[in-house]
Amino acid sequence: MPLVELQGVNKRYQFGRLTVKALQDVGLEIEKGEFVALSGPSGSGKSTLCHILGALDRADSGQVLLNGIDMAALDDDAKADFRNQSIGFVFQQFNLVPVLSALENVLLPLQFGATVGRDSQQKAWKLLESMGLADHSSHRPDKLSGGQQQRVAIARALVTDPAIVIADEPTANLDSTNAQLIVDTLRTLNRESGTTVVFSSHDMGLVKQADRAIHLADGRIAPS
Ligand code: ADP
Ligand code: ADP
């Protein structure tokens, strides 16, 4: 069974009388353990697709199966539980909490389950260490570079041991050296722990490094 299976997915946004077709008839499958890039120019629907793959948003029509579960059958609470258990999401703007330390940011997803004991602390610390941030665990985000902040965000995405990590343009706000470091980090994660990774990017140099690229154009999957 594929980890991700989409069929005939449509998503539109309404601006007053104007309708934007963000995704049209999108179908795709992603197997467990794959390292997949989602490419396409700005406005092609990458972010919309990431949000649907990450159970942050719903399709208007079509079928979305994540880990064999039909997202349309879950109410919002069940969908949130599913997301917290199975999905790690990395955002373009890092989305760290400014008043918390790097370590506290990584611990955040575990606090939904209210089990932040010593084991959790240890796990969060080890994740930061694996991201090369052992010396920065007590720093607040504004004391970290963009690349460091994004690595904290990746550690945060991993702390729940998700089945899949979805990174929506994770390198868009980074210089090319830090962008490459983030893709290397995602690749290492995929190789060493077998975590399925999907990242979106409009940078073909980065996209080419994935095992497989899914190209979007005007909300449709384009032939690769
Ligand atoms: P990408 O990530 O490739 O830049 P998006 O998924 O963000 O593409 O956007 C796809 C299309 O949907 C674009 O035309 C965009 O303007 C539109 N869109 C995205 N989000 C919204 C929204 N919240 N409201 C209205 N239109 C949106
Ligand atoms: P974009 O990818 O369009 O540039 P972001 O990735 O920052 O923007 O956020 C996309 C959307 O996801 C926003 O509308 C935001 O409200 C929502 N969002 C951000 N963080 C979370 C979260 N942890 N859980 C649920 N929704 C979130």
Short mmCIF file of all heavy atoms in Angstrom, two decimals, residues 47 51 56 83 89 91-93 95 168, ligand 2:
data_model
loop_
_atom_site.label_atom_id
_atom_site.label_comp_id
_atom_site.label_asym_id
_atom_site.label_seq_id
_atom_site.Cartn_x
_atom_site.Cartn_y
_atom_site.Cartn_z
N SER A 47 2.41 24.65 -2.71
CA SER A 47 2.06 24.86 -1.31
C SER A 47 0.68 24.23 -1.01
O SER A 47 0.50 23.57 0.02
CB SER A 47 2.04 26.35 -1.02
OG SER A 47 2.16 26.60 0.33
N HIS A 51 0.02 21.22 1.65
CA HIS A 51 -0.94 21.31 2.75
C HIS A 51 -1.94 20.16 2.72
O HIS A 51 -2.35 19.67 3.78
CB HIS A 51 -1.67 22.66 2.71
CG HIS A 51 -0.78 23.81 3.06
ND1 HIS A 51 -1.09 25.11 2.79
CD2 HIS A 51 0.44 23.83 3.65
CE1 HIS A 51 -0.10 25.90 3.21
NE2 HIS A 51 0.83 25.14 3.73
N LEU A 56 -3.11 19.42 6.48
CA LEU A 56 -3.37 20.76 7.02
C LEU A 56 -4.61 21.35 6.35
O LEU A 56 -5.24 22.26 6.87
CB LEU A 56 -2.18 21.69 6.75
CG LEU A 56 -0.95 21.50 7.61
CD1 LEU A 56 0.23 22.29 7.05
CD2 LEU A 56 -1.23 21.92 9.04
N ARG A 83 -2.59 14.14 12.07
CA ARG A 83 -1.46 15.00 11.69
C ARG A 83 -0.37 14.98 12.77
O ARG A 83 0.81 14.84 12.46
CB ARG A 83 -1.97 16.42 11.46
CG ARG A 83 -0.98 17.35 10.81
CD ARG A 83 -1.66 18.62 10.34
NE ARG A 83 -2.21 19.39 11.44
CZ ARG A 83 -3.45 19.86 11.50
NH1 ARG A 83 -4.32 19.63 10.54
NH2 ARG A 83 -3.85 20.57 12.55
N PHE A 89 5.73 18.56 9.54
CA PHE A 89 5.62 19.60 8.52
C PHE A 89 6.69 20.66 8.75
O PHE A 89 6.91 21.11 9.88
CB PHE A 89 4.23 20.25 8.58
CG PHE A 89 3.77 20.80 7.26
CD1 PHE A 89 2.98 20.04 6.40
CD2 PHE A 89 4.15 22.07 6.85
CE1 PHE A 89 2.57 20.54 5.17
CE2 PHE A 89 3.75 22.58 5.62
CZ PHE A 89 2.95 21.81 4.78
N PHE A 91 7.92 24.42 7.36
CA PHE A 91 7.40 25.57 6.63
C PHE A 91 8.52 26.43 6.04
O PHE A 91 9.63 26.46 6.58
CB PHE A 91 6.56 26.46 7.56
CG PHE A 91 5.34 25.78 8.10
CD1 PHE A 91 5.40 25.05 9.28
CD2 PHE A 91 4.13 25.85 7.43
CE1 PHE A 91 4.28 24.41 9.78
CE2 PHE A 91 3.00 25.22 7.93
CZ PHE A 91 3.07 24.50 9.10
N GLN A 92 8.16 27.16 5.01
CA GLN A 92 9.11 28.08 4.39
C GLN A 92 9.63 29.11 5.41
O GLN A 92 10.83 29.40 5.43
CB GLN A 92 8.38 28.79 3.24
CG GLN A 92 9.18 29.80 2.50
CD GLN A 92 8.37 30.40 1.35
OE1 GLN A 92 7.45 29.76 0.82
NE2 GLN A 92 8.70 31.60 0.97
N GLN A 93 8.74 29.64 6.23
CA GLN A 93 9.14 30.72 7.17
C GLN A 93 9.54 30.17 8.53
O GLN A 93 9.46 30.89 9.53
CB GLN A 93 8.01 31.73 7.37
CG GLN A 93 7.59 32.49 6.14
CD GLN A 93 6.52 31.75 5.35
OE1 GLN A 93 6.21 30.59 5.64
NE2 GLN A 93 5.96 32.39 4.35
N ASN A 95 8.54 29.18 11.15
CA ASN A 95 7.44 29.11 12.12
C ASN A 95 7.85 28.63 13.51
O ASN A 95 7.13 27.87 14.15
CB ASN A 95 6.30 28.21 11.60
CG ASN A 95 5.51 28.87 10.49
OD1 ASN A 95 5.90 29.91 9.99
ND2 ASN A 95 4.40 28.26 10.09
N ASP A 168 7.57 22.40 2.86
CA ASP A 168 7.00 23.30 1.85
C ASP A 168 7.99 24.44 1.57
O ASP A 168 8.12 25.35 2.38
CB ASP A 168 5.68 23.85 2.39
CG ASP A 168 4.97 24.75 1.40
OD1 ASP A 168 5.38 24.79 0.22
OD2 ASP A 168 4.01 25.43 1.81
P1 ADP B 2 3.20 29.35 2.65
O1 ADP B 2 3.70 27.94 2.49
O2 ADP B 2 1.91 29.56 1.89
O3 ADP B 2 4.20 30.39 2.32
P2 ADP B 2 3.14 28.77 5.56
O4 ADP B 2 3.78 27.48 5.19
O5 ADP B 2 3.83 29.63 6.52
O6 ADP B 2 2.80 29.59 4.22
O7 ADP B 2 1.71 28.49 6.19
C1 ADP B 2 0.70 27.93 5.40
C2 ADP B 2 -0.62 27.82 6.18
O8 ADP B 2 -0.53 26.79 7.19
C3 ADP B 2 -1.00 29.09 6.87
O9 ADP B 2 -2.32 29.43 6.44
C4 ADP B 2 -1.00 28.79 8.36
O10 ADP B 2 -2.11 29.36 9.01
C5 ADP B 2 -1.10 27.27 8.43
N1 ADP B 2 -0.28 26.72 9.52
C6 ADP B 2 0.94 27.15 9.90
N2 ADP B 2 1.42 26.41 10.92
C7 ADP B 2 0.48 25.47 11.20
C8 ADP B 2 0.39 24.39 12.15
N3 ADP B 2 1.38 24.11 12.99
N4 ADP B 2 -0.72 23.65 12.16
C9 ADP B 2 -1.73 23.94 11.31
N5 ADP B 2 -1.70 24.93 10.39
C10 ADP B 2 -0.62 25.69 10.33
#
